[in-house]
Amino acid sequence: MSIEPCVSVLMPCMNPGRFLEEAIASVLMQPQCLELLIADGGSTDGSLPFIQAQASLDKRVRLLLGPDQGPGDALNKAFNAARGTFIGWLNADDLFHPAALERAVQSLRSHPEWLMVYGEGEEWNGTTGSRLRYPTLPADAGLQGFRSHCFICQPTVVFRRSMGILLGPFNTSLRTAFDLEFWLRAFTAFPDRIGYLPHQQAITRLHAHTLTSSQRRTVALEATLLLSQYLGIAPASRLHNYALELQLGIARLPPGQPLLDHLDALFREAECLVDPQDYAQLRQVWLLDPATAPSLVAAEAAAAASGWQRSLPGRLLQALRPQLHLKAPAPPAGPHRRLVDAIKSEAHAFPLLQALLGQPAEAAQPQLTFEQRPFGVNLIGHAFDVFGIGEDIRMAARSLQAADVPCCVIDHPAGNGAARTDRSLEGLLHAGAQGGPYAFNLICMAAPVQARWLLEQDFTALRERYTLVSWPWETERWPEAWAPLLEVADELWPSSQFTARALRPHAGAHRPLRWMPMAAEIPNRVHVTTPEQRLATRQSHGLPEEAVIFAFGFDFNSTATRKNPMGVLEAFQRAFPPDPCDDTAARVALMIKTFPPRRSRAEYHWLQARVAEDPRIHLVVGHLEREELVKLYGCCDVFVSLHRSEGFGRGLAEALQLGLDVIATDFGGNTDFCTGPLAHPVHFRRVPIPRGAYPCADGHHWAEPDLDDAVRLIRQVAQQRLNQPWRREAASTYRDRFACEAVGQRYRNRLQELWSDRQQIAMRLRWRNTCSPLSL
């Protein structure tokens, strides 16, 4: 049902430059737009003639000229001139998503008690191409939700004109936080009358000239002021974060002003606004408290002199806790001191650290030498954990067994909440304190988790063994914080060419690198994809029996930003907008398999809300045993992965063997095998990873998938599947690529090559009975 024009969109404007045209177009394409009121405070960049031309072409565009006291004043002028029942607000460098106003108006009319709605937003850096979800929270976060950050993306807001009248005008005394003040006022006055839309409503641009980018000091100070007014007392986090921004170069110091002098003045200005204890701590860590600064400087010097930061145990702790890395952003009160304090506090949990505290370590027991050990492999990893890296070690064991290579398993729980119910390797379990009996170790876990294992177990299991490592990683650079793990690796076995590129700069004659693709074999793939089994599985999970089902899987306890579930859902719904008259839209479905997060996650609530709105989307949540999980994917038709990066891409490899078409970003480890009749690569743009978006990856790059290309492929593959529902013969072309027998033979060939030269290999071992890299 169409909605008549009823929304007045306010647009404060001052020298918007090249962004204005797109912003106006995104408003005028909304049928619910009654008028666009552009309040220009005196632009000198040539924008006015363009606005005037738009006003002559479209009577909905109204230009309000005249000087103002800033954006808050411009908004008040536009609001006073507005005629709409509902009010939207779009800055001249932001964008509405298609149908944004329609969804907002429908929501407000369906909930007459609501005075305001807001939705999901996206932060877009047009220069780099990076797109990230704005950290939105649902409305039940309430007033206290603003303690951590402003969780409302401003251009997603639509409110009733009556609420604007009741709340009063925007605060013109604020230069940057007038929007935050308006939200705080709204949540204070009407805490139960604000709604949330789980849809992408708007894009907010990130560029050097945005108000918040150019006035970060003012942003921090005004936000702190407002939180103190509305919450009684403000946390010091905004001030602390601004100081870190200065340290990182994100914010700029005034010319000629030293950092600490600048911070001292800012903190004093905010002293009456924040918690006294927080304030005292803030001044101490930034060395602004004369009473504590000398002792902290001395403690830092003493900590640096200890040399613990250069010790391998200390470096392993930094790999496990990246925030302790000496180059991590932090106040100047002492990165060395923080590390030393962490070593002291965690020594009880990590025995390897105890030697740094002067506690005598048990003397290492002499072990069999490498040459004396039997040929075979000690597999070390998450033997029983049901998730991707756990499957890595299980596939490695099956591959070695298929090639008649003796092996045992040393289990190290992942500690990530995954179920530990796959006991298929129990018969290979080895629990000896001296490590595995064989000459070779093969590490099948993430590098920082291996650091934790070593901190807990010490280096005994490495001695007199040749250690091969198969670390998963998802960018083309190896993290600097993980460099110490290289000291425990005799040879690198990356599972993809993608990960190999990250490790290659660290390889050489002293540390060989071999590309070793992992097995991803599905032994019962024929059984789980019979018509009868596919139907039974669909029925057991409540999936439509006749639809073409698109599948996607990810873990909220991992990093959703990398997996990009929002992109998959948006692409599916753009490809098939709900339309009872569209036969194709009624014959498709999307199945998303995930785990509930261990702690509250806004993205999870977003996903649940979107699923509730569209009966074609089915959410399967929780743990499934391996066979049931394979059946679930086997009953689907297409696997979609609009990831920003993949280290290997096991789910995609398994989907190809099950006969699913695979639509996947053409970036990451999956490019090694996403070729052939069932693979459909999605175009992408290589973009910098935004700061803090992925652990240990600041300054690295990944992919931003092209959603338009993904939509095109989703439509194309859906038509193919509707015309040819099953292509079992195509799946057979992928079987040998992932077979345990082939992978095991590749393992055996390399191991035998090393074994034939074992006397020379023994001399080059990093960890022997008589020497080690501990002094490095």
Side-chain angles (χ1 to χ4, degrees):
M1 181 179 66
S2 62
I3 300 174
E4 74 282 358
C6 55
V7 181
S8 294
V9 179
L10 318 182
M11 182 178 288
C13 183
M14 184 65 178
N15 293 329
R18 66 187 187 277
F19 305 121
L20 179 62
E21 182 174 356
E22 287 184 271
I24 291 177
S26 77
V27 175
L28 298 182
M29 70 183 294
Q30 313 274 335
Q32 293 71 37
C33 173
L34 173 68
E35 57 187 353
L36 170 60
L37 298 109
I38 303 177
D40 190 283
S43 292
T44 58
D45 63 348
S47 300
L48 285 178
F50 175 76
I51 298 172
Q52 291 164 342
Q54 290 293 304
S56 65
L57 293 172
D58 193 318
K59 64 181 182 180
R60 292 178 294 172
V61 178
R62 297 174 58 195
L63 176 59
L64 307 177
L65 283 171
D68 56 53
Q69 301 174 36
D73 189 29
L75 285 167
N76 288 333
K77 290 180 179 180
F79 179 82
N80 291 335
R83 299 171 296 184
T85 305
F86 305 106
I87 305 296
W89 166 13
L90 189 77
N91 288 331
D93 53 358
D94 294 336
L95 300 168
F96 278 146
H97 265 278
L101 296 186
E102 179 182 9
R103 283 190 291 265
V105 173
Q106 282 183 338
S107 181
L108 287 165
R109 289 187 171 174
S110 299
H111 298 84
E113 74 280 12
W114 286 359
L115 295 176
M116 181 178 100
V117 294
Y118 65 95
E120 292 287 328
E122 186 175 54
E123 295 179 322
W124 177 35
N125 188 319
T127 302
T128 66
S130 173
R131 293 178 180 268
L132 279 183
R133 174 186 177 271
Y134 186 90
T136 303
L137 299 177
D140 60 9
L143 197 62
Q144 295 299 322
F146 291 98
R147 282 189 176 275
S148 61
H149 66 284
C150 179
F151 60 80
I152 293 180
C153 183
Q154 171 263 305
T156 70
V157 170
V158 175
F159 57 91
R160 297 182 192 274
R161 180 180 173 79
S162 58
M163 189 190 85
I165 295 171
L166 290 169
L167 286 182
F170 290 93
N171 189 331
T172 57
S173 68
L174 298 168
R175 305 302 299 172
T176 64
F178 47 87
D179 53 350
L180 173 61
E181 194 273 342
F182 197 72
W183 316 145
L184 291 169
R185 241 191 298 163
F187 271 86
T188 300
F190 311 113
D192 300 319
R193 303 187 66 182
I194 298 172
Y196 159 73
L197 291 172
H199 288 271
Q200 284 278 12
Q201 290 290 93
I203 293 171
T204 181
R205 289 184 191 263
L206 302 179
H207 58 86
H209 302 294
T210 57
L211 197 61
T212 51
S213 294
S214 59
Q215 300 186 41
R216 290 182 177 274
R217 178 191 184 279
T218 305
V219 170
L221 191 58
E222 289 187 346
T224 303
L225 170 66
L226 291 173
L227 291 178
S228 71
Q229 290 176 351
Y230 284 90
L231 301 179
I233 198 163
S237 56
R238 262 68 168 194
L239 304 174
H240 178 75
N241 290 339
Y242 169 67
L244 291 178
E245 290 172 349
L246 287 169
Q247 190 182 67
L248 293 166
I250 298 172
R252 289 190 296 273
L253 278 169
Q257 191 170 25
L259 172 64
L260 294 186
D261 288 352
H262 178 72
L263 291 179
D264 183 49
L266 173 66
F267 293 169
R268 288 183 186 279
E269 191 174 348
E271 179 177 4
C272 62
L273 307 176
V274 299
D275 179 273
Q277 289 185 337
D278 283 357
Y279 181 75
Q281 177 69 15
L282 184 69
R283 293 191 63 84
Q284 287 176 14
V285 299
W286 287 96
L287 300 182
L288 296 173
D289 181 2
T292 59
S295 62
L296 288 173
V297 170
E300 172 66 8
S306 72
W308 290 3
Q309 73 279 6
R310 294 189 298 274
S311 71
L312 189 51
R315 293 166 66 204
L316 289 173
L317 184 62
Q318 292 176 68
L320 177 61
R321 309 261 193 267
Q323 68 274 21
L324 295 176
H325 195 264
L326 298 185
K327 293 185 179 180
H336 296 86
R337 183 183 59 82
R338 284 188 289 273
L339 176 61
V340 166
D341 288 347
I343 289 172
K344 292 177 180 178
S345 67
E346 302 208 39
H348 71 283
F350 298 135
L352 192 61
L353 299 175
Q354 293 172 5
L356 297 177
L357 303 180
Q359 300 177 24
E362 294 185 12
Q365 297 297 317
Q367 299 210 31
L368 294 176
T369 66
F370 176 76
E371 303 98 306
Q372 293 171 332
R373 291 187 178 279
F375 175 79
V377 177
N378 312 302
L379 288 162
I380 303 169
H382 315 310
F384 307 136
D385 296 68
V386 184
F387 76 116
I389 302 179
E391 196 62 21
D392 291 351
I393 190 173
R394 290 187 284 274
M395 284 286 108
R398 288 183 52 195
S399 299
L400 292 168
Q401 290 176 317
D404 293 323
V405 176
C407 63
C408 71
V409 169
I410 297 174
D411 175 54
H412 179 61
N416 63 354
R420 288 179 49 79
T421 55
D422 190 321
R423 315 301 290 190
S424 58
L425 298 185
E426 199 141 30
L428 297 176
L429 197 62
H430 177 86
Q434 298 298 306
Y438 297 113
F440 297 96
N441 288 331
L442 176 55
I443 306 293
C444 297
M445 50 188 168
V449 180
Q450 184 185 350
R452 185 185 71 199
W453 176 68
L454 291 169
L455 289 165
E456 292 175 352
Q457 304 296 324
D458 75 32
F459 300 108
T460 302
L462 302 180
R463 295 191 183 279
E464 295 298 337
R465 299 166 180 88
Y466 190 83
T467 297
L468 310 144
V469 294
S470 180
W471 293 316
W473 181 234
E474 292 85 14
T475 84
E476 296 168 301
R477 286 170 52 190
W478 191 246
E480 183 179 354
W482 296 357
L485 273 300
L486 296 164
E487 303 303 337
V488 306
D490 291 294
E491 184 163 317
L492 309 172
W493 277 17
S495 62
S496 68
Q497 294 278 25
F498 184 79
T499 305
R501 287 196 288 276
L503 287 166
R504 192 161 286 120
H506 307 283
H510 65 296
R511 189 184 294 113
L513 181 148
R514 295 293 179 101
W515 173 38
M516 288 290 188
M518 291 186 291
E521 183 178 278
I522 301 177
N524 58 345
R525 60 186 175 277
V526 175
H527 167 68
V528 302
T529 57
T530 63
E532 296 78 14
Q533 183 59 62
R534 281 166 52 87
L535 178 60
T537 304
R538 290 188 176 201
Q539 291 174 338
S540 68
H541 289 284
L543 301 174
E545 297 179 7
E546 302 295 332
V548 172
I549 298 181
F550 291 79
F552 172 63
F554 75 108
D555 185 354
F556 267 114
N557 297 311
S558 181
T559 308
T561 301
R562 177 176 67 83
K563 288 289 190 177
N564 194 19
M566 184 176 284
V568 172
L569 194 149
E570 292 291 333
F572 174 82
Q573 291 193 317
R574 279 177 53 186
F576 312 112
D579 184 351
C581 300
D582 183 351
D583 182 59
T584 301
R587 298 172 65 190
V588 296
L590 174 63
M591 185 283 295
I592 299 177
K593 169 67 180 72
T594 189
F595 297 91
R598 293 192 299 275
R599 59 184 184 277
S600 180
R601 294 283 295 271
E603 297 98 325
Y604 185 55
H605 299 302
W606 163 83
L607 184 60
Q608 289 178 308
R610 289 296 293 272
V611 170
E613 288 184 344
D614 191 337
R616 301 171 305 167
I617 304 175
H618 303 264
L619 192 60
V620 179
V621 179
H623 166 70
L624 294 179
E625 295 298 337
R626 174 68 181 165
E627 183 177 357
E628 188 59 30
L629 183 65
V630 172
K631 287 179 181 178
L632 176 63
Y633 286 118
C635 82
C636 299
D637 302 285
V638 187
F639 192 93
V640 183
S641 178
L642 301 183
H643 58 262
R644 293 186 167 96
S645 190
E646 278 286 1
F648 175 65
R650 180 175 296 281
L652 285 75
E654 293 175 343
L656 290 168
Q657 293 176 79
L658 292 169
L660 278 68
D661 280 278
V662 169
I663 299 171
T665 310
D666 195 23
F667 183 85
N670 55 291
T671 60
D672 289 344
F673 55 80
C674 276
T675 59
L678 293 178
H680 310 274
V682 175
H683 301 327
F684 68 93
R685 180 176 178 179
R686 193 169 181 269
V687 303
I689 299 176
R691 185 175 298 277
Y694 199 61
C696 298
D698 288 356
H700 297 203
H701 287 72
W702 60 15
E704 191 59 53
D706 183 338
L707 288 191
D708 291 336
D709 192 45
V711 168
R712 176 185 65 82
L713 289 170
I714 288 171
R715 288 173 178 157
Q716 174 183 307
V717 172
Q719 288 300 323
Q720 292 173 352
R721 285 288 180 163
L722 287 169
N723 296 330
Q724 188 181 4
W726 191 239
R727 295 193 284 165
R728 186 185 304 277
E729 70 287 350
S732 64
T733 64
Y734 297 93
R735 180 181 57 195
D736 293 341
R737 301 189 191 190
F738 308 109
C740 290
E741 183 177 350
V743 171
Q745 191 58 52
R746 190 158 50 239
Y747 288 173
R748 185 178 184 89
N749 291 344
R750 177 55 179 163
L751 293 169
Q752 287 185 325
E753 181 183 352
L754 293 166
W755 192 242
S756 66
D757 193 27
R758 55 185 174 275
Q759 290 184 338
Q760 292 297 316
I761 294 293
M763 295 174 62
R764 299 199 303 269
L765 286 180
R766 294 178 179 278
W767 295 87
R768 304 218 65 181
N769 283 325
T770 56
C771 64
S772 73
L774 273 174
S775 59
L776 294 176

